Amino acid sequence: MQTVRKDIHNSEMPVLCQSCEARHQGICGALSGDELVALAKSTRRVHKDAGEELMADAMPIDSYASVLRGVIKLSKVLEDGRQQVVGLQFAPDLLGRPFAAESRVTAEAASDVDLCVIPKPALEALLSRSAPLEHRVMMQALRELDEARDWMVTLGRKTAAEKVASFLYLIATHMDPCDEALETSFDLPLSRADIGDFLGLTVETVSRQISRLKSDGVIGIVNFRQVSIPDLARLRLRCG
Amino acid sequence: MQTVRKDIHNSEMPVLCQSCEARHQGICGALSGDELVALAKSTRRVHKDAGEELMADAMPIDSYASVLRGVIKLSKVLEDGRQQVVGLQFAPDLLGRPFAAESRVTAEAASDVDLCVIPKPALEALLSRSAPLEHRVMMQALRELDEARDWMVTLGRKTAAEKVASFLYLIATHMDPCDEALETSFDLPLSRADIGDFLGLTVETVSRQISRLKSDGVIGIVNFRQVSIPDLARLRLRCG
DNA sequence: CGGTTTGTTGAGATTTTTCAATTCGAGTGG
DNA sequence: CCACTCGAATTGAAAAATCTCAACAAACCG
């Protein structure tokens, strides 16, 4: 978020919103044509490689970003280094805590990502002028709250086996947009260590549970990162 | 929420908002005088005893409520009965998921509570007319999201001892508004079983950790529910 | 008072972590 | 093209944390 590279910027038209609308419209579905054109002027398309940090906990926020492609990992760290992933963001989410001076989480590109970066003042000006836009931001916040609470159930009350199954199920249903297919295949956006930090488990436990799911035929592991799921309903049963 | 008792309704004036403003203004700080008067007409002041269910998961919502006094417990249950408390609401929070047809959690009075109930259509009409009000609701959603993510760290990465200390610290800082006092005393709004469901622990583990904090002199237990904390900073150290 | 619910405590069982040893795959330089 | 190396992932065995089961004590309620 600090080092914005302008090179890839496509200046033809509302870059942000072409993509957004292609995938469920993101922030921009709520804007008028005029507003879109104005917005496109202040946005920058940016690419980040997997692993790059986008925002640090307790650091001032100077811009927001709309996720165009890829997965972003939100996490928090305890003083002694224990880490917890508190959320994942997929396109077309808005990245950045609205109306906060500083971030409350660390954001990192989990996979290669494309972002559409918007300076903080530009978005906030737009928010205060466009009630529909603010409404949309609120709807995202409410959805994220629902997701966080669902995940709290997983963290607090599920066994390690159920946690890993729940994680795979979550990713499967978010990554493969051609939904409802019983059979899917995808690349995990997180390392085993990150999965552990998401589930509140150690790497070893995650690995053991993945191995078990594999030997039970619930999932197939192609290439460590690449997972195939022959029957989503069967995975669902393992989620508790 | 279903069985609204009108008996205690105080019809003089904006019941809701007197109380709200007394304690940090809740929803109503954003409304004009006219709007307040209009709102007061459709609100009902309601009392609920500890343990009463206010809203059931997956049930249609027909009203919202502003919490005037007491604590409300939000929880989710797995098919097999495992339960997780996913949030607590204190005055002056707004209870009810805005813009959702049905609830995604079960809400229950943790202590005796006073509510100011607003029919769903009345609040939503107001929301669509008043941008400042919608803004305020969004700010609450964002704050709840921050809290949920903080709690995910506790659930996923802390030990049982740290979880219990964190819970007591959370309650201590929320219950006693005369904040920053190093020394406090309060009634726990939750039973040991509920604390376990909040922390993802069994009742027995909660009880053992409370006993340990007591024998270490970090807390004092007067009457099972009544806790005194001689030194908040010392408790804080136990939170991890 | 009984009976019931709520909380505490102990001992053994279970799950998960920790520590240690390997294996796998990708990238590098000869 | 093939060792070599490095980080990520897997696997095993022992240790630690937490849960389960069971007994009991304390408060609560008609």
Side-chain angles (χ1 to χ4, degrees):
Chain A
M1 209 84 125
Q2 304 90 309
T3 55
V4 169
R5 296 188 311 212
K6 308 186 179 180
D7 42 356
I8 326 177
H9 180 47
N10 165 3
S11 54
E12 294 174 54
M13 257 301 280
V15 152
L16 169 70
C17 304
Q18 281 171 15
S19 304
C20 284
E21 281 178 331
R23 27 180 110 223
H24 293 118
Q25 84 261 70
I27 289 310
C28 321
L31 296 176
S32 70
D34 282 0
E35 290 168 327
L36 285 179
V37 173
L39 180 58
K41 290 217 179 78
S42 45
T43 63
R44 293 286 177 276
R45 184 147 179 181
V46 172
H47 175 87
K48 292 285 181 179
D49 291 326
E52 285 191 74
E53 186 173 289
L54 308 179
M55 221 166 19
D57 193 3
M59 290 301 289
I61 307 175
D62 45 66
S63 44
Y64 296 99
S66 179
V67 182
L68 301 178
R69 188 181 61 82
V71 181
I72 288 168
K73 184 185 93 184
L74 306 179
S75 60
K76 283 170 170 274
V77 203
L78 256 27
E79 288 89 358
D80 63 1
R82 282 175 287 177
Q83 188 170 136
Q84 176 69 43
V85 174
V86 296
L88 297 178
Q89 301 207 286
F90 301 84
D93 291 340
L94 179 70
L95 173 65
R97 166 73 156 83
F99 305 107
E102 48 178 58
S103 178
R104 306 241 1 218
V105 298
T106 300
E108 186 182 311
S111 62
D112 286 13
V113 295
D114 292 328
L115 302 174
C116 179
V117 175
I118 312 170
K120 188 169 145 84
L123 183 66
E124 289 182 354
L126 216 55
L127 274 176
S128 65
R129 258 183 293 117
S130 166
L133 179 59
E134 178 158 306
H135 183 74
R136 213 165 262 259
V137 170
M138 174 163 77
M139 294 307 271
Q140 177 181 324
L142 287 169
R143 183 173 48 68
E144 286 181 44
L145 180 59
D146 287 340
E147 286 169 5
R149 287 177 170 164
D150 284 339
W151 206 249
M152 287 171 74
V153 179
T154 300
L155 283 175
R157 284 304 182 199
K158 292 191 184 177
T159 65
E162 290 167 340
K163 284 180 178 180
V164 171
S166 301
F167 170 76
L168 292 171
Y169 189 81
L170 174 79
I171 299 299
T173 49
H174 274 77
M175 293 295 274
D176 200 337
C178 11
D179 223 23
E180 304 310 319
L182 281 181
E183 183 260 336
T184 41
S185 172
F186 53 87
D187 271 24
L188 288 177
L190 266 50
S191 69
R192 300 291 189 268
D194 284 337
I195 297 173
D197 286 340
F198 194 19
L199 297 170
L201 298 173
T202 58
V203 193
E204 294 94 328
T205 303
V206 172
S207 180
R208 276 185 252 271
Q209 298 301 338
I210 288 182
S211 298
R212 173 179 295 246
L213 284 172
K214 180 175 144 194
S215 72
D216 289 358
V218 180
I219 63 173
I221 302 289
V222 185
N223 207 9
F224 285 143
R225 285 298 186 99
Q226 200 166 42
V227 176
S228 68
I229 297 176
D231 183 354
L232 257 181
R234 201 155 150 236
L235 178 60
R236 182 126 187 30
L237 283 177
R238 300 275 193 139
C239 293
Chain B
M1 213 82 127
Q2 303 92 308
T3 54
V4 169
R5 295 188 312 210
K6 306 186 181 178
D7 40 357
I8 326 176
H9 179 45
N10 165 4
S11 54
E12 295 173 53
M13 258 302 279
V15 152
L16 169 71
C17 303
Q18 280 172 16
S19 304
C20 284
E21 281 176 329
R23 26 178 111 225
H24 293 118
Q25 86 258 69
I27 289 311
C28 320
L31 296 177
S32 70
D34 283 0
E35 290 168 326
L36 285 180
V37 173
L39 180 57
K41 291 218 177 76
S42 44
T43 62
R44 294 283 177 279
R45 184 146 178 183
V46 172
H47 176 86
K48 293 284 182 178
D49 292 327
E52 286 190 74
E53 185 172 290
L54 308 178
M55 223 168 15
D57 192 3
M59 290 300 287
I61 307 175
D62 46 66
S63 43
Y64 297 99
S66 181
V67 182
L68 301 179
R69 188 181 62 83
V71 182
I72 288 168
K73 182 185 94 184
L74 305 179
S75 60
K76 284 171 169 273
V77 200
L78 256 27
E79 289 87 356
D80 63 2
R82 280 174 288 177
Q83 189 170 136
Q84 176 68 45
V85 173
V86 297
L88 296 179
Q89 301 206 287
F90 301 84
D93 291 340
L94 179 70
L95 172 65
R97 165 74 156 82
F99 304 108
E102 46 179 59
S103 178
R104 305 238 6 216
V105 298
T106 301
E108 186 182 311
S111 62
D112 287 12
V113 295
D114 292 327
L115 301 174
C116 180
V117 175
I118 312 170
K120 188 170 146 87
L123 182 67
E124 289 182 356
L126 216 55
L127 275 176
S128 66
R129 260 182 293 118
S130 166
L133 179 59
E134 179 158 307
H135 183 73
R136 212 164 262 261
V137 170
M138 175 164 74
M139 294 307 270
Q140 178 181 324
L142 287 169
R143 184 173 47 69
E144 285 182 45
L145 180 58
D146 288 340
E147 286 169 5
R149 286 177 172 164
D150 284 339
W151 205 249
M152 287 171 75
V153 179
T154 300
L155 283 175
R157 284 303 182 199
K158 292 192 184 176
T159 65
E162 291 167 340
K163 285 180 179 180
V164 171
S166 301
F167 170 76
L168 292 172
Y169 189 81
L170 174 78
I171 299 298
T173 51
H174 275 76
M175 294 295 274
D176 200 336
C178 9
D179 225 23
E180 306 310 321
L182 281 181
E183 182 262 335
T184 41
S185 172
F186 52 86
D187 270 25
L188 288 177
L190 300 184
S191 69
R192 300 293 189 267
D194 284 337
I195 297 173
D197 286 341
F198 194 19
L199 297 171
L201 299 172
T202 58
V203 193
E204 294 93 330
T205 302
V206 172
S207 181
R208 277 185 252 271
Q209 298 300 339
I210 288 182
S211 297
R212 171 178 298 245
L213 285 172
K214 181 176 143 196
S215 72
D216 289 358
V218 180
I219 61 174
I221 302 288
V222 185
N223 205 10
F224 285 144
R225 284 296 186 102
Q226 202 167 41
V227 176
S228 68
I229 298 176
D231 183 355
L232 215 48
R234 199 152 153 238
L235 178 61
R236 180 126 187 32
L237 283 178
R238 299 274 193 140
C239 293

